[in-house]
């Protein structure tokens, strides 16, 4: 509502789409389209997913969603992502206190620097890891 943007929820391929849809009727839910949706997104919101690395590589604005309601495992993972990726989180249990100026500050600080990309996702700084794997597999097939 704050940014007047459509919310699209990308569910894990093994999730029950009908269950999600029954609880989240006002939202569009996409299954198996996470990569595509991240590339088109204005903001990428997540709580615990390896798909966030796609948003990092695309240098998207990222906000981590956290809540005690998600359990200690997810809360711990959120804290790890905050430290490792230098991102900020928003407590969804306190969504009424969210204001545009606070979100703008979070988004301004969420822009990805090249350190994580270079040192963890693209070790040589030149060729992304997935392209190296594809090249290796093609060489094996010959």
């Amino acid at each position: 509502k704050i940014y007047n943007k459509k919310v699209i929820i990308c569910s894990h391929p093994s999730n029950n789409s009908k269950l999600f849809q029954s609880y989240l009727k006002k939202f569009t839910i996409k299954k198996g389209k996470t990569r595509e949706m991240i590339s088109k997104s204005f903001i990428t919101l997540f709580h615990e997913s390896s798909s966030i690395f796609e948003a990092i590589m695309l240098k998207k604005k990222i906000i981590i969603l956290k809540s005690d309601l998600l359990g200690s495992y997810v809360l711990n993972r959120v804290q790890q992502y905050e430290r490792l990726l230098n991102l900020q989180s928003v407590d969804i249990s306190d969504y009424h206190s969210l204001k545009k100026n606070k979100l703008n500050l979070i988004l301004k600080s969420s822009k990805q620097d090249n350190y994580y990309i270079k040192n963890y996702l693209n070790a040589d700084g030149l060729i992304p890891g997935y392209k190296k794997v594809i090249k290796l597999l093609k060489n094996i097939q010959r």
Side-chain angles (χ1 to χ4, degrees), residues 22-130:
S22 69
Y23 285 102
L24 304 168
K25 294 176 183 173
K26 294 182 181 181
F27 298 104
T28 300
I29 299 175
K30 301 276 185 170
K31 191 173 185 176
K33 301 278 186 189
T34 302
R35 190 174 236 180
E36 177 186 339
M37 294 297 104
I38 289 174
S39 70
K40 294 178 180 181
S41 71
F42 169 68
I43 302 171
T44 300
L45 305 165
F46 83 108
H47 58 82
E48 199 280 321
S49 172
S50 60
S51 297
I52 198 56
F53 298 116
E54 184 77 22
I56 291 167
M57 289 296 289
L58 294 172
K59 298 185 179 183
K60 292 293 184 170
K61 296 174 184 176
I62 301 168
I63 296 177
I64 306 172
L65 304 175
K66 72 177 178 181
S67 172
D68 290 337
L69 300 173
L70 297 171
S72 61
Y73 172 78
V74 173
L75 195 56
N76 182 44
R77 296 283 294 166
V78 165
Q79 291 167 344
Q80 288 176 346
Y81 282 126
E82 286 175 314
R83 285 189 306 273
L84 184 63
L85 304 174
N86 196 28
L87 295 173
Q88 292 190 37
S89 62
V90 170
D91 190 337
I92 58 175
S93 301
D94 190 25
Y95 69 92
H96 293 294
S97 70
L98 287 178
K99 303 291 182 221
K100 190 170 186 173
N101 59 353
K102 180 180 178 181
L103 284 174
N104 285 341
L105 286 173
I106 291 171
L107 291 174
K108 187 176 181 181
S109 70
S110 80
K111 290 192 177 179
Q112 298 303 306
D113 60 23
N114 289 326
Y115 178 81
Y116 189 83
I117 294 170
K118 184 177 180 186
N119 292 292
Y120 293 96
L121 299 178
N122 189 6
D124 66 3
L126 302 171
I127 302 170
Y130 76 92

